[in-house]
Amino acid sequence: MEKIVEQGLLYDFYGELLTEHQKKIYEDVVYNDFSLTEIARENGISRQGVHDLVRRCNHILQGYEDKLHLVERFMHVKENVSRLQELSNDPNVTGEELLQEVRLLSHQILEEL
């Protein structure tokens, strides 16, 4: 997964567990694409301080994912739903094949939850 997309997903799932200050800085870097210098100037801290805070946030968010696996589960469910959509739009799939696949994929989705 591309790094910025991964950071965004991790933040979407676990961002509320960061402090307000961490969230503000992290959002400025990841979502607003501000430079470290701009963020440092705006917040009255050093550029290195911003860099360290972002690294610490990345580490914290990844730690939550390593323990909870919510993003990983979400991605698996998303893949299974995409597969269901592909099957339902495929005119070459018979009703019985579709039914078998729907049962299999729905079971996998329920296992992820």
Side-chain angles (χ1 to χ4, degrees):
M1 203 177 337
E2 188 179 328
K3 183 68 175 168
I4 198 76
V5 173
E6 183 179 351
Q7 285 176 311
L9 278 172
L10 289 172
Y11 184 80
D12 287 346
F13 277 84
Y14 307 112
E16 287 302 314
L17 300 171
L18 299 174
T19 68
E20 288 302 316
H21 179 68
Q22 289 171 327
K23 286 193 287 191
K24 182 183 181 323
I25 302 292
Y26 201 79
E27 287 175 6
D28 282 347
V29 170
V30 175
Y31 291 120
N32 301 327
D33 199 28
F34 292 162
S35 72
L36 299 182
T37 303
E38 290 172 313
I39 298 167
R41 191 176 314 122
E42 181 181 312
N43 290 279
I45 57 178
S46 69
R47 185 184 178 286
Q48 183 64 43
V50 173
H51 179 265
D52 291 345
L53 189 132
V54 171
R55 282 189 43 205
R56 191 167 40 253
C57 288
N58 282 332
H59 182 74
I60 290 168
L61 296 173
Q62 187 60 55
Y64 288 131
E65 176 60 15
D66 291 344
K67 291 176 182 139
L68 301 172
H69 306 285
L70 296 178
V71 174
E72 180 182 341
R73 289 180 189 168
F74 171 77
M75 295 307 290
H76 287 149
V77 169
K78 187 175 175 185
E79 289 169 11
N80 284 333
V81 169
S82 291
R83 178 68 181 132
L84 286 170
Q85 289 175 329
E86 289 172 14
L87 287 169
S88 68
N89 293 325
D90 187 346
N92 298 321
V93 176
T94 66
E96 184 59 35
E97 291 171 331
L98 181 61
L99 185 59
Q100 286 178 326
E101 283 293 316
V102 166
R103 286 181 179 148
L104 174 68
L105 292 169
S106 64
H107 177 73
Q108 290 174 357
I109 289 170
L110 289 172
E111 288 296 314
E112 287 292 333
L113 304 173

